[in-house]
Amino acid sequence: MQRPRFELPEALVMEILSMLQVKSLTRFNCVCKYWCSSFQTPHFISKNYHNNLENNNLNLLLSRCDGNTFQPYLSPLSNEKDQNYIVKQNIHLPFFEDDSPSVYGACHGLLCLFDSSKDKAAIWNPSTREFKILPPSSIQRPPYFSPFEETYLTLDDVSFNDAAFGFDSKTDDYKFIRFVTLTFVNSEEEYAHPHFIYQVELYSLRSNSWKEIPYPDYNPNGKTLGNNYVDGICYWKTETGAYLDFRGLILSFDMRNEKFSVLPIPEFVGSFPEYYVDLLVFNGSLGAIVYPLQRIDTSFDLWVTSEGVWTKQFNIKSIPGVVHPLGFGKNGDLFLRDANDEVLVFDASTQELKELEINTYLDHHRFAISLHTYLESLVHINGIQEVEKYVIRQPTRNASNEY
Amino acid sequence: MGSTSTKIKLRTSDQKVFEVEKAVAVHVIHVHSVSGDILSKILDYCKKHVNSAAGKEDISPEELYEWDANFVKVDQNTLFDLILAANCLKIESLLDLTCQTEIRTTFNIKNDYTIEAEEAVRRENKWAFDMLGV
């Protein structure tokens, strides 16, 4: 019996293909030239990303540090058929050598990785395995004249702390913004007193270049849980710093007009010093997980803000033994760190707290474990395919034994 | 026949027994779901590829590519059975070959790649073809 051959309209074929996983589409590059070039059009890439967004095809990455080698690595967490999250592969990043990179994003499935102690950064699409190394910063470091010591000081160190990665919809460009700390010392003195100058620099993928941005009125202070970019704007925790008027604030940067702005955090959300207010992106909006400093049996409030209005989304009551949230995964699962720095998952629907069987007890610097999520995407970044010099993927023993 | 060519026995779904060299049948897994005809074709494919890789047969990449193209010029039912068997026996290259042919046939697509161009695209996207990969 002959199986039917059928003529499908080209548009329909592409519509169906746009619903497939990136890995399948990558294989289908070999089918014919037309398919290969179609998959690279902005229209197809956008369609595919939109499908991933609608189906919430979220991938999870845990950033951790090996307890034996002290090398940083990333663990993709997969959960199939409602099983507990497992690690089938570990991703090592020799590009960053011994330093644990900070992970920013995701934005349209892209992540930005950078070393805070060196001028080393890369944009990465983990789905297509494209890796784009950023050029070193071209920003002029200003000289520092110390009137007290009546001499120019020497630039001793350039370090980077807070950053953000996002998209400018006006120019269809991906941008990376970075706060720089310049340390100046008097090289003549034995125990030199350091002086600091701060700068902000912005990288544009489209022009593959850096430019300087005027420094805002506030210093970013404190990490966000996972992504700190949503809908064209990046966010950082900051505060007024005034002694008797210490208030938590949010510093924001608009990727389109490249301007800083400040938002208040209302008292009723959570006030220092009684509460932690950890910023995060939740369901496409800026939000915060608020929880008390003191107790070990912690309850969490999730707040979300839109146009200056803060709404409490829900409360998770008293989870015993848990200390810090790491962020949300799929389906409302909340990842947490307990007093022993083990990673747990709280399933809000079943109210169950589960341990992750991923051997985090073997890790080093467990207080620094962070969770990152990204959607599958075909977005191109003018990079190269992952090479062993920069990225190494190693299946775990479970995965390679399993047939 | 020295100790270097160890033989392996395979029994098919229709009770036929094949004796092959170990190098040719790398995986000794259940073949009870594969019929004698299909297994015979598969062994031909494996023998051809192992011999050409080991240099036992003098055949250029282009000639091998043509041999492959002729190998899959079968009716759709046979092609389908080959896909299932290649999947069951985990013969990656045969699975690739048969699936591509099936896709192109079903969607009526002409492969407009040259051998070199197709090889280049495959190499660039090597990771996507890794069956065990995540």
Side-chain angles (χ1 to χ4, degrees), chain A residues 1-8 13 16 22-24 26-37 88-89 126-129 385 393 399-400 402-403, chain B residues 27 29 75-77 80 90 95-96 100 102-114 117-118 121-122 124-125 127-134:
Chain A
M1 184 185 58
Q2 268 287 38
R3 284 171 63 240
R5 289 184 199 202
F6 41 99
E7 291 286 341
L8 283 180
V13 172
I16 295 169
V22 170
K23 186 170 174 176
S24 302
T26 309
R27 288 164 92 127
F28 295 166
N29 278 333
C30 295
V31 172
C32 66
K33 287 184 192 169
Y34 178 69
W35 276 29
C36 186
S37 59
K88 293 204 275 194
Q89 176 192 83
S127 313
T128 60
R129 306 202 178 188
Q385 275 293 295
R393 290 174 184 248
S400 49
E402 172 185 16
Y403 257 65
Chain B
H27 299 281
I29 313 175
D75 66 84
Q76 279 214 281
N77 282 325
F80 197 61
K90 301 212 190 311
L95 187 59
D96 265 343
Q100 275 185 63
E102 172 73 8
I103 289 179
R104 290 198 183 108
T105 311
T106 310
F107 287 93
N108 208 25
I109 297 170
K110 180 168 161 41
N111 181 7
D112 53 355
Y113 277 119
T114 61
E118 190 177 327
V121 178
R122 281 174 164 276
E124 265 166 45
N125 300 300
W127 64 270
F129 293 91
D130 181 6
M131 270 170 74
L132 297 172
V134 286

Side-chain angles (χ1 to χ4, degrees), chain A residues 69-351:
Chain A
T69 62
F70 302 118
Q71 295 292 315
Y73 66 108
L74 301 170
S75 291
L77 299 176
S78 52
N79 66 331
E80 290 162 2
K81 302 184 194 108
D82 301 318
Q83 281 166 6
N84 210 9
Y85 292 93
I86 52 168
V87 176
K88 293 204 275 194
Q89 176 192 83
N90 285 316
I91 304 177
H92 300 264
L93 302 160
F95 175 68
F96 293 101
E97 293 159 54
D98 295 335
D99 303 322
S100 222
S102 304
V103 182
Y104 285 91
C107 175
H108 299 170
L110 305 176
L111 295 169
C112 188
L113 311 164
F114 91 104
D115 184 335
S116 55
S117 63
K118 300 185 190 104
D119 191 355
K120 241 187 181 180
I123 297 176
W124 183 42
N125 183 332
S127 313
T128 60
R129 306 202 178 188
E130 209 183 339
F131 196 75
K132 157 78 183 167
I133 298 171
L134 268 51
S137 171
S138 56
I139 304 303
Q140 288 276 358
R141 308 301 179 199
Y144 188 103
F145 182 78
S146 165
F148 178 72
E149 290 151 287
E150 289 178 343
T151 181
Y152 278 99
L153 302 186
T154 319
L155 178 58
D156 191 48
D157 183 53
V158 179
S159 69
F160 313 91
N161 289 304
D162 301 88
F165 177 69
F167 181 68
D168 176 347
S169 53
K170 240 174 35 189
T171 55
D172 193 29
D173 191 11
Y174 293 96
K175 295 179 177 170
F176 176 56
I177 183 169
R178 194 163 70 169
F179 287 80
V180 190
T181 304
L182 307 170
T183 308
F184 288 88
V185 293
N186 184 342
S187 50
E188 313 257 310
E189 281 195 24
E190 203 177 331
Y191 301 107
H193 170 70
H195 299 258
F196 302 106
I197 295 249
Y198 304 99
Q199 286 183 304
V200 177
E201 43 190 38
L202 183 73
Y203 170 79
S204 140
L205 181 63
R206 206 169 252 290
S207 64
N208 193 34
S209 64
W210 294 90
K211 73 180 197 212
E212 192 169 357
I213 301 283
Y215 202 84
D217 296 329
Y218 297 91
N219 280 325
N221 181 12
K223 291 243 167 285
T224 313
L225 298 181
N227 199 2
N228 64 339
Y229 161 86
V230 64
D231 225 358
I233 306 182
C234 324
Y235 300 93
W236 302 269
K237 268 285 293 295
T238 184
E239 69 257 333
T240 59
Y243 182 58
L244 290 176
D245 183 30
F246 193 91
R247 275 177 292 132
L249 298 168
I250 299 173
L251 177 67
S252 75
F253 181 77
D254 188 326
M255 283 293 185
R256 291 162 295 217
N257 61 26
E258 295 180 355
K259 291 220 159 32
F260 282 105
S261 183
V262 171
L263 311 162
I265 301 178
E267 285 265 332
F268 58 79
V269 169
S271 56
F272 184 85
E274 297 94 40
Y275 292 93
Y276 284 110
V277 177
D278 288 349
L279 291 187
L280 81 163
V281 171
F282 184 79
N283 273 357
S285 297
L286 175 69
I289 294 186
V290 183
Y291 55 108
L293 248 76
Q294 294 304 336
R295 284 163 262 136
I296 289 286
D297 278 10
T298 310
S299 81
F300 300 91
D301 284 338
L302 177 73
W303 290 81
V304 160
T305 178
S306 178
E307 324 243 315
V309 180
W310 287 79
T311 347
K312 191 195 286 203
Q313 295 285 103
F314 55 78
N315 164 270
I316 298 175
K317 281 202 173 6
S318 196
I319 308 178
V322 154
V323 179
H324 285 289
L326 292 174
F328 287 93
K330 283 177 95 147
N331 308 321
D333 284 346
L334 178 61
F335 284 74
L336 307 142
R337 198 160 45 85
D338 70 9
N340 299 318
D341 285 330
E342 299 266 10
V343 177
L344 309 165
V345 180
F346 182 76
D347 183 339
S349 54
T350 63
Q351 298 281 303

Side-chain angles (χ1 to χ4, degrees), chain A residues 45-88:
Chain A
I45 293 174
S46 168
K47 228 185 188 8
N48 172 260
Y49 180 73
H50 220 78
N51 288 329
N52 289 325
L53 187 58
E54 272 186 27
N55 296 321
N56 202 26
N57 287 339
L58 214 58
N59 291 304
L60 274 56
L61 277 178
L62 212 59
S63 175
R64 42 205 289 218
C65 192
D66 189 304
N68 280 327
T69 62
F70 302 118
Q71 295 292 315
Y73 66 108
L74 301 170
S75 291
L77 299 176
S78 52
N79 66 331
E80 290 162 2
K81 302 184 194 108
D82 301 318
Q83 281 166 6
N84 210 9
Y85 292 93
I86 52 168
V87 176
K88 293 204 275 194

Side-chain angles (χ1 to χ4, degrees), chain B residues 2-123:
Chain B
S3 55
T4 46
S5 63
T6 32
K7 296 260 185 180
I8 281 180
K9 286 195 176 148
L10 304 171
R11 191 205 299 274
T12 64
S13 60
D14 44 354
Q15 305 306 317
K16 299 210 177 83
V17 178
F18 288 77
E19 207 176 86
V20 293
E21 283 185 27
K22 191 166 185 190
V24 173
V26 174
H27 299 281
V28 182
I29 313 175
H30 308 288
V31 291
H32 57 82
S33 53
V34 181
S35 76
D37 286 338
I38 296 297
L39 186 60
S40 165
K41 280 197 75 87
I42 288 182
L43 290 174
D44 280 345
Y45 174 90
C46 290
K47 224 180 284 182
K48 191 79 178 175
H49 280 253
V50 166
N51 285 343
S52 93
K56 281 197 201 155
E57 199 175 312
D58 185 18
I59 179 170
S60 71
E62 290 81 24
E63 285 170 337
L64 187 62
Y65 187 85
E66 257 202 66
W67 188 93
D68 278 354
N70 283 320
F71 181 79
V72 286
K73 280 196 181 127
V74 293
D75 66 84
Q76 279 214 281
N77 282 325
T78 309
L79 186 61
F80 197 61
D81 287 337
L82 282 172
I83 291 177
L84 291 177
N87 186 42
C88 171
L89 297 169
K90 301 212 190 311
I91 306 169
E92 214 176 300
S93 59
L94 179 60
L95 187 59
D96 265 343
L97 174 65
T98 47
C99 279
Q100 275 185 63
T101 314
E102 172 73 8
I103 289 179
R104 290 198 183 108
T105 311
T106 310
F107 287 93
N108 208 25
I109 297 170
K110 180 168 161 41
N111 181 7
D112 53 355
Y113 277 119
T114 61
I115 300 171
E116 298 87 24
E118 190 177 327
E119 268 306 302
V121 178
R122 281 174 164 276
R123 245 179 295 125

